[in-house]
């Protein structure tokens, strides 16, 4: 039987019990009949996607889910985005994520005393962001340092021929905190330069007409850049070589597209895919079906919304985001696959938890479920459980090495061992 493999990553979906909801998690509260059906008729378990000692980013987590051990392959977040944005990088170059953020805007305080209000400036539109990044490039861009606009607040700075090391902080980790302790240190001239760009960007951006208008419209102004996530050009082994299967990635965000592209997967652009709860769900389903019918036997569908809702601390929206993934992605996918009589394996999981309570990622295990439409004996037992953090933990196996999950999903487990490249 020809099988198609569909992995669905609901970014940041896993969470902690919520005090206001009788100790239930968003996954337990959300009405999600399709995920629950997959889990009940498939296997569930939990998996450690973030290797011990690494920081719980979507970069490391999604790499692991796609089968790449972050300990071996991770070279930083930003380079994946550079690949997705089509920016050429040399081995000696360093690329940085350049967020457009909202800092508190009290008068008569220094830059260091400002508070990180919003790591994404109210999900600023890509149109507005590109104008602001152009202004930043005009002011600070030079022969070896350049700024590129991406999607919404997720932009990029490329520093050619930079040998230095930095210690930079993700802005979504310091929401509502004073930035003083989290700014680049002044240990090197390069680090000072980064700090200088950030400081000066406040003066430039807080007065920019786009931000004056945003304030009028009661939107967070994108009044500073925030540089972090630096890294060098990645070198991933091809997914097709590793697993002997061709595949595609469908995501709104450059990071995930970039990881896919670096792994040799095709990246399908979906018009109106935004990375927010208002994303084009239908478009993602259509793109996935097209990919599956035109040479891809594997698709990786990534939905950013639950993570963003987690960062915002917005419980209702996070629950809604899970329900929408269930009703607008998983339900229609399964229906279309059944209509076309395509046998498939479907895996659903978050990359990492983004607990509403702390509004940032944690490095805890996440639940996964794997369903097989042919119900091969390989799936030893039906779980019979709803898909939740607790059920996955109690009922299922625990995988300490996240990058091995793909072997299980693609049934490459113990087949030959040769795809697992040892030194
Ligand atoms: Zn994530």
């Amino acid at each position: 039987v020809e099988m198609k493999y569909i992995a669905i990553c609901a970014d940041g979906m896993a969470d902690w019990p919520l005090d206001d909801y009788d100790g239930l998690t968003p996954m337990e509260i959300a009405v999600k009949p399709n995920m629950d059906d997959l889990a009940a008729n498939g296997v569930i378990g939990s998996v450690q996607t973030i290797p011990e000692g690494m920081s719980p980013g979507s970069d490391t987590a999604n790499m692991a889910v796609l089968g790449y051990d972050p300990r071996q392959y991770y070279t930083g977040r930003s380079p994946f985005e550079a690949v997705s944005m089509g920016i050429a990088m040399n081995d000696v170059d360093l690329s940085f994520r350049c967020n457009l953020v909202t800092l508190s805007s009290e008068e008569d305080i220094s830059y260091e005393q400002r508070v990180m209000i919003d790591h994404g400036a109210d999900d600023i539109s890509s149109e507005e962001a590109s104008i602001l990044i152009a202004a930043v490039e005009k002011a600070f861009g030079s022969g070896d340092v350049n700024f590129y606009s991406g999607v919404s607040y997720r932009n990029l700075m490329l520093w050619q021929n930079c040998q230095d090391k930095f210690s930079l902080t993700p802005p979504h980790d310091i929401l509502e905190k004073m930035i003083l302790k989290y700014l680049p240190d002044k240990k090197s001239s390069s680090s000072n330069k980064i700090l200088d760009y950030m400081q000066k960007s406040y003066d430039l951006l807080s007065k920019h007409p786009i931000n004056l208008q945003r304030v009028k419209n009661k939107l967070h102004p994108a009044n500073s850049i925030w540089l972090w996530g630096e890294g060098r050009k990645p070198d991933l082994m091809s997914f097709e070589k590793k697993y002997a299967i061709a595949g595609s990635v469908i995501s709104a965000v450059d990071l995930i597209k970039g990881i896919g592209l670096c792994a040799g997967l095709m990246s399908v652009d979906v018009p109106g895919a935004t990375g927010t709860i208002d994303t084009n769900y239908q478009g993602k389903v259509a793109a996935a079906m097209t990919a599956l019918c035109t040479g891809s036997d594997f698709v990786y569908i990534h939905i950013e919304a639950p993570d963003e809702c987690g960062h915002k601390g917005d419980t209702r929206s996070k629950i809604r985001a899970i329900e929408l993934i269930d009703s607008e992605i998983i339900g229609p996918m399964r229906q279309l696959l059944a209509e076309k009589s395509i046998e498939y394996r479907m895996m659903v999981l978050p990359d990492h938890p983004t607990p509403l309570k702390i509004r940032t990622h944690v490095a805890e295990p996440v639940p996964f479920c794997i369903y097989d439409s042919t119900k091969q004996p390989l799936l030893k037992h039906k779980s019979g459980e709803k898909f939740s953090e607790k059920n996955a933990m109690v009922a299922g196996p625990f995988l300490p090495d996240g990058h091995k999950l793909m072997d299980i999903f693609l049934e490459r487990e113990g087949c030959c061992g040769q795809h697992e490249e040892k030194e």
Side-chain angles (χ1 to χ4, degrees), residues 290-307:
T290 305
L292 290 174
C293 296
T294 55
S296 287
D297 289 330
F298 168 77
V299 287
Y300 191 68
I301 308 174
H302 169 264
I303 302 107
E304 176 82 347
D307 179 63

Side-chain angles (χ1 to χ4, degrees), residues 9 11-12 56-59 61-62 256 302 304 307 351-352 354 361:
C9 174
D11 202 302
S58 292
D59 41 17
N62 278 278
I256 310 300
H302 169 264
E304 176 82 347
D307 179 63
D351 49 350
H352 52 72
T354 309
H361 309 169

Side-chain angles (χ1 to χ4, degrees), residues 10 19 28 46 63 67 140 159 165 182 184 188 206 240 268 271 276 291 295 318 336 347-348 386 414:
D19 297 339
E28 289 169 326
S46 49
M63 279 181 81
F140 313 129
W159 193 334
K165 285 205 158 58
Y182 308 101
S188 71
S206 57
E240 190 165 353
V268 186
T276 69
K318 183 161 183 184
L336 289 167
M347 173 163 74
V348 182
K386 286 190 169 186

Side-chain angles (χ1 to χ4, degrees), residues 78-246:
S78 175
F80 289 119
E81 298 178 324
V83 168
S84 173
M85 290 161 73
I87 299 166
M89 263 183 99
N90 292 312
D91 292 339
V92 290
D93 298 345
L94 204 53
S95 75
F96 296 74
R97 165 63 89 75
C98 176
N99 274 50
L100 283 170
V101 301
T102 306
L103 301 181
S104 62
S105 52
E106 305 91 333
E107 288 182 20
D108 306 323
I109 63 166
S110 66
Y111 184 77
E112 294 80 9
Q113 290 172 293
R114 301 192 184 282
V115 171
M116 180 63 69
I117 304 284
D118 185 346
H119 68 285
D122 264 336
D123 293 326
I124 186 168
S125 73
S126 298
E127 291 74 29
E128 289 173 295
S130 70
I131 296 169
L132 296 178
I133 291 298
V136 169
E137 167 69 10
K138 192 165 177 239
F140 313 129
S142 65
D144 52 357
V145 176
N146 294 100
F147 296 83
Y148 298 86
S149 61
V151 176
S152 180
Y153 62 85
R154 307 176 193 89
N155 305 283
L156 189 134
M157 183 182 94
L158 184 68
W159 193 334
Q160 291 176 55
N161 207 357
C162 178
Q163 301 299 339
D164 291 298
K165 285 205 158 58
F166 299 85
S167 168
L168 305 173
T169 305
H172 52 258
D173 282 354
I174 54 165
L175 290 166
E176 291 168 37
K177 290 185 180 158
M178 190 189 282
I179 61 176
L180 176 68
K181 282 197 287 180
Y182 308 101
L183 288 167
D185 59 47
K186 298 179 181 174
K187 282 180 191 149
S188 71
S189 66
S190 303
S191 189
N192 257 316
K193 198 161 154 180
I194 298 278
L195 177 60
D196 198 46
Y197 289 144
M198 287 164 63
Q199 268 172 345
K200 286 185 176 151
S201 76
Y202 183 86
D203 302 323
L204 175 76
L205 294 176
S206 57
K207 293 183 210 122
H208 195 284
I210 290 221
N211 279 325
L212 300 180
Q213 188 60 45
R214 287 182 70 79
V215 173
K216 257 191 206 159
N217 295 347
K218 306 238 180 313
L219 290 168
H220 287 154
N223 57 16
S224 181
I225 62 169
W226 189 273
L227 296 162
W228 63 287
E230 77 284 5
R232 301 208 182 269
K233 193 174 162 180
D235 182 21
L236 298 191
M237 179 188 189
S238 133
F239 188 89
E240 190 165 353
K241 233 174 155 181
K242 191 165 151 68
Y243 295 112
I245 187 169

Side-chain angles (χ1 to χ4, degrees), residues 33-66:
N34 295 299
M35 281 188 219
D36 288 339
D37 185 67
L38 291 175
N41 293 295
V43 286
I44 58 175
S46 49
V47 55
Q48 181 67 40
T49 53
I50 314 285
E52 204 186 322
M54 293 191 83
S55 78
S58 292
D59 41 17
T60 44
N62 278 278
M63 279 181 81
V65 174
L66 278 166

Side-chain angles (χ1 to χ4, degrees), residues 334-352:
R334 292 189 70 189
Q335 199 181 337
L336 289 167
L337 290 161
E339 278 168 17
K340 291 182 187 292
S341 308
I342 298 173
E343 300 291 1
Y344 62 95
R345 274 195 163 208
M346 189 177 276
M347 173 163 74
V348 182
L349 80 170
D351 49 350
H352 52 72

Side-chain angles (χ1 to χ4, degrees), residues 365-381:
V366 295
F368 68 87
C369 69
I370 297 176
Y371 169 84
D372 188 322
S373 70
T374 65
K375 299 187 181 65
Q376 296 174 8
L378 196 126
L379 294 177
K380 290 180 200 92
H381 47 78

